[in-house]
């Protein structure tokens, strides 16, 4: 497996992996319309051409796309989103490899990473915590459909 920057030709496979990976979350919350499930091919293509977004994919030696992650750059903060690994390849370290590669691909001006995930997704929160993220918001927070959220951040390097 290798991690590389995403290209426009990856959009369809990236969307397929994303939707497959988020099915378990949709079931957990009883909501098939979580944001990663509502995104369409045009939206993924738009993200891939946005200069403020870094998108990485993980591909096998045979070329199969098995994971992806994106980060939207906003000053010295990178907002991580859509970390997704194909269900049949989960628990193989692909998500960790994507997060590590993402940190290495960021410009030096990015000092902190921020993300949110489902507040009842305890295994997902624990994975991010093992990767160095810490919870930053304790009061209740929900998305546009009422799903409870957990907010996490990771300091990469102190600001200059």
């Amino acid at each position: 497996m290798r991690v590389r920057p995403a290209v426009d030709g990856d959009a369809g496979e990236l969307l397929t992996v994303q939707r497959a990976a988020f099915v378990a979350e949709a079931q957990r919350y009883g909501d098939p319309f979580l944001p990663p499930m509502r995104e369409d091919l045009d939206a993924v293509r738009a993200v891939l051409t946005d200069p403020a977004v870094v998108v990485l994919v993980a591909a096998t030696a045979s070329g199969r796309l098995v994971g992806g992650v994106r980060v939207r750059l906003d000053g010295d903060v990178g907002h991580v989103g859509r970390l997704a690994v194909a269900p049949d390849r989960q628990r193989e370290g692909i998500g960790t490899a994507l997060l590590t590669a993402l940190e290495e691909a960021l410009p030096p001006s990015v000092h902190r990473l921020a993300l949110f995930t489902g507040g009842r997704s305890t295994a997902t929160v624990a994975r991010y915590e093992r990767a160095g993220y810490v919870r930053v918001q304790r009061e209740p927070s929900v998305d546009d459909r009422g799903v409870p959220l957990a907010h996490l951040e990771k300091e990469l390097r102190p600001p200059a």
Side-chain angles (χ1 to χ4, degrees):
M1 184 204 66
R2 76 179 184 106
V3 176
R4 61 170 173 77
V7 297
D8 186 65
D10 294 324
E13 278 188 279
L14 187 57
L15 180 60
T16 300
V17 168
Q18 175 180 302
R19 286 186 176 168
F22 278 91
V23 165
E25 285 293 290
Q27 290 172 335
R28 176 176 291 113
Y29 294 99
D31 186 352
F33 300 108
L34 294 176
M37 302 297 281
R38 291 184 297 207
E39 198 166 44
D40 64 15
L41 186 57
D42 288 337
V44 172
R45 283 191 174 127
V47 166
L48 292 176
T49 60
D50 187 336
V53 179
V54 174
V55 181
L56 299 178
V57 294
T60 63
S62 65
R64 177 185 171 209
L65 198 142
V66 294
V69 65
R70 65 179 79 160
V71 63
R72 178 170 299 282
L73 306 175
D74 182 16
D76 70 345
V77 178
H79 297 276
V80 179
R82 305 292 197 269
L83 176 62
V85 175
D88 68 316
R89 298 297 304 269
Q90 292 176 0
R91 293 174 189 77
E92 294 180 18
I94 295 169
T96 300
L98 284 163
L99 287 174
T100 299
L102 184 70
E103 290 179 20
E104 294 169 0
L106 294 172
S109 60
V110 176
H111 299 280
R112 181 170 41 101
L113 293 173
L115 62 86
F116 62 86
T117 190
R120 293 191 307 253
S121 303
T122 54
T124 302
V125 170
R127 276 187 223 109
Y128 282 120
E129 290 174 336
R130 284 191 302 274
Y133 289 80
V134 294
R135 282 185 186 244
V136 294
Q137 185 173 336
R138 302 287 183 215
E139 73 254 9
S141 172
V142 296
D143 73 2
D144 65 338
R145 298 184 58 81
V147 172
L149 302 174
H151 295 265
L152 298 104
E153 292 184 358
K154 180 177 182 177
E155 286 292 326
L156 298 176
R157 53 194 150 268

